[in-house]
Amino acid sequence: YENKNLLHQCALRRFLRHIKNAIDEIAAIRILEVGSAEGHLMKYLKDRNNALELYGVDIDRKALERAQEMNPEMHFEYGNLETGILPKERFDVVTTLEVFEHIQDTENALLNMQKLNAQYFLISVPREPFFRILNFLRGRHWKKLGNHPEHIHIWRKSDFKELVSKYFRVEKDYSSFPWTIFLATKKDY
C-alpha cells in the first residue's frame, strides 16, 4: 500500500475498486477482514462508506497495533485462520485478501472459514504466473524469480477456483489483474 511505483499504485487502486464493488453489490455492512494487517483495506472502505462496521483479525500483533492507531474507530484482534481462532459474531461478508498464499495448510484454513458466521466470502490471491513476472520485471525478488519470499503457495486462476470450490460455491469473479478475486457462499450440505 505504501509502494510509490506508479504502475503498482494503478493496479492496487483497480484491485481496491473491485473489492469495493463486490461489497457494494452484496450490500454488506458488517465486514470481517481476516488478515487485516495494518488495516489499509478497512480504511479505504470506511473512507468511501462511513456506515460500514469493520472488524479485522491478523496473526501479527504489531500490525494490529498499527491498524488500531490508524483506524481507532474500528475493532482489531488477534485471529488465526489456520488454527481457527476467529470471531464468532455474524458478518455480512468475510474477506481474506492476499492471505492464502501465506498459509501452510490451506485446506484446514478453508474448513475454518466455513465455520464463520457469514453469508458471503471474498477471497483473493495473486494470479500466477503473472504476479511473479511483474515482480521480476520491476526488479523485485530476483533471486526467487519474482516470487515473494513469504509466498508458500502459488496458483493459477483455475487452480485456485478448483481449491475454493471444494468448500464454497464461487458466485462471481471480481478478478483484477494481477489478482484472482472470487465472491463465494457456503455450499449446502
Side-chain angles (χ1 to χ4, degrees):
Y1 288 89
E2 283 130 23
N3 187 316
K4 302 296 183 211
N5 179 288
L6 186 61
L7 292 175
H8 177 90
Q9 284 298 313
C10 180
L12 181 61
R13 280 192 304 274
R14 191 175 61 249
F15 171 79
L16 292 171
R17 277 194 312 272
H18 283 234
I19 299 302
K20 182 188 176 303
N21 289 345
I23 288 169
D24 288 348
E25 285 180 26
I26 60 173
I29 298 296
R30 286 182 55 85
I31 301 167
L32 172 65
E33 183 180 12
V34 176
S36 60
E38 290 89 5
H40 292 285
L41 171 68
M42 293 170 66
K43 181 170 178 19
Y44 173 86
L45 293 172
K46 189 72 166 182
D47 287 348
R48 282 148 186 81
N49 183 349
N50 200 38
L52 296 178
E53 299 172 29
L54 298 158
Y55 301 82
V57 298
D58 203 281
I59 60 171
D60 183 338
R61 293 185 193 277
K62 293 229 183 275
L64 290 169
E65 288 173 15
R66 290 189 299 275
Q68 197 67 70
E69 289 170 11
M70 188 166 72
N71 305 292
E73 72 286 358
M74 296 177 206
H75 179 76
F76 295 91
E77 65 184 69
Y78 176 85
N80 188 322
L81 190 55
E82 273 187 284
T83 62
I85 299 173
L86 296 164
K88 305 291 185 238
E89 295 90 353
R90 169 94 171 96
F91 297 96
D92 298 324
V93 65
V94 172
T95 66
T96 52
L97 309 176
E98 307 307 293
V99 171
F100 278 93
E101 64 273 20
H102 300 274
I103 292 178
Q104 189 69 41
D105 189 348
T106 55
E107 303 261 348
N108 192 54
L110 285 162
L111 284 169
N112 287 328
M113 265 182 65
Q114 281 183 323
K115 297 173 188 172
L116 289 166
N117 188 359
Q119 182 176 1
Y120 293 100
F121 299 83
L122 196 56
I123 309 164
S124 79
V125 293
R127 186 182 317 170
E128 299 297 353
F130 306 109
F131 197 83
R132 289 183 355 167
I133 291 168
L134 291 171
N135 272 343
F136 188 80
L137 291 175
R138 62 189 184 117
R140 307 249 341 205
H141 316 300
W142 279 14
K143 289 181 182 178
K144 292 192 143 248
L145 299 176
N147 191 33
H148 190 285
E150 294 175 3
H151 288 186
I152 299 168
H153 302 284
I154 58 171
W155 287 284
R156 293 181 320 205
K157 186 177 189 177
S158 59
D159 295 334
F160 192 65
K161 184 174 185 178
E162 183 179 319
L163 173 66
V164 171
S165 294
K166 286 183 186 179
Y167 302 93
F168 294 90
R169 184 180 309 106
V170 174
E171 300 288 348
K172 192 165 180 182
D173 183 339
Y174 283 92
S175 295
S176 173
F177 186 80
W179 291 280
T180 296
I181 308 167
F182 294 131
L183 179 69
T185 56
K186 291 181 183 180
K187 287 184 173 183
D188 297 326
Y189 290 101

